Amino acid sequence: VIIWTLTSPPRTPATPSLVAGEEPTTTAVFVLPTVDDSNGPVRYVDIIVHRAALGVSSPPPSAVPSNVAPYMEGTVWYVAARYSYTQYEAAVAGSQFTIGNGSVVSAGGVAYTSAPLQPGHSFSVYVRAVGVDDNGEEVSSIGQPLRFVTSDQTSTATGDSESEGVIIGPVISSVICLLTIIAHIVIWRHHKCDHKQFD
């Protein structure tokens, strides 16, 4: 029996690409690259997400924690999806992939959730290819990240409310002024009629 193992880590995956015309909010749509297994068999492929404040640059691939886990509330790094290599190449690579839509992928008895993205944040998405070397140890390669910013829906809504206030305020003031003028005219005419009666 011949067992084919990796003599070096898998080839570095390419960077995912955002789908044109899709503005990231609580979800982001992008195309995932194919993963080359010419260095030996790839066991699985991870889609890793990093969340940060606006203006923060993407950490380099070397900064991705080796023990990054599935999503949990408040986590900065998490695995949004894990696929076997066969499954990834057959159904995922080269296709549109939505992150943040709440989908769950199960692998090895573990559930990986693509949790909704928070508006007004900077996100980076990495593709990690994982194989096994001659000693049975996992080895991996991580591609350069795709960085994007989610639109701040809260700010947009606040801006709309402020605009409505700016428009409504002058309208109410104008109505009050008009009613005051009408009241003055009515009172003036009433007094004028009273004076005529006395004359």
Side-chain angles (χ1 to χ4, degrees), residues 28-158:
V29 183
F30 50 93
V31 177
L32 291 170
T34 57
V35 172
D36 188 345
D37 67 346
S38 59
N39 277 4
V42 175
R43 177 176 285 182
Y44 57 85
V45 179
D46 285 337
I47 313 303
I48 298 173
V49 177
H50 176 260
R51 174 177 54 84
L54 290 176
V56 175
S57 301
S58 297
S62 59
V64 177
S66 58
N67 61 344
V68 60
Y71 176 81
M72 290 182 64
E73 188 69 34
T75 51
V76 173
W77 290 96
Y78 61 94
V79 179
R82 171 172 288 182
Y83 299 97
S84 69
Y85 178 73
T86 306
Q87 182 184 14
Y88 179 85
E89 287 298 308
V92 183
S95 303
Q96 288 191 6
F97 181 86
T98 302
I99 201 162
N101 61 356
S103 62
V104 178
V105 176
S106 294
V110 179
Y112 297 89
T113 303
S114 182
L117 306 174
Q118 293 88 346
H121 282 75
S122 174
F123 286 89
S124 301
V125 176
Y126 304 75
V127 176
R128 176 171 66 180
V130 182
V132 178
D133 65 13
D134 293 333
N135 299 317
E137 299 291 330
E138 284 194 347
V139 288
S140 63
S141 292
I142 304 172
Q144 290 297 321
L146 165 68
R147 181 181 176 276
F148 60 90
V149 173
T150 51
S151 65
D152 192 345
Q153 295 172 325
T154 304
S155 296
T156 303
T158 303

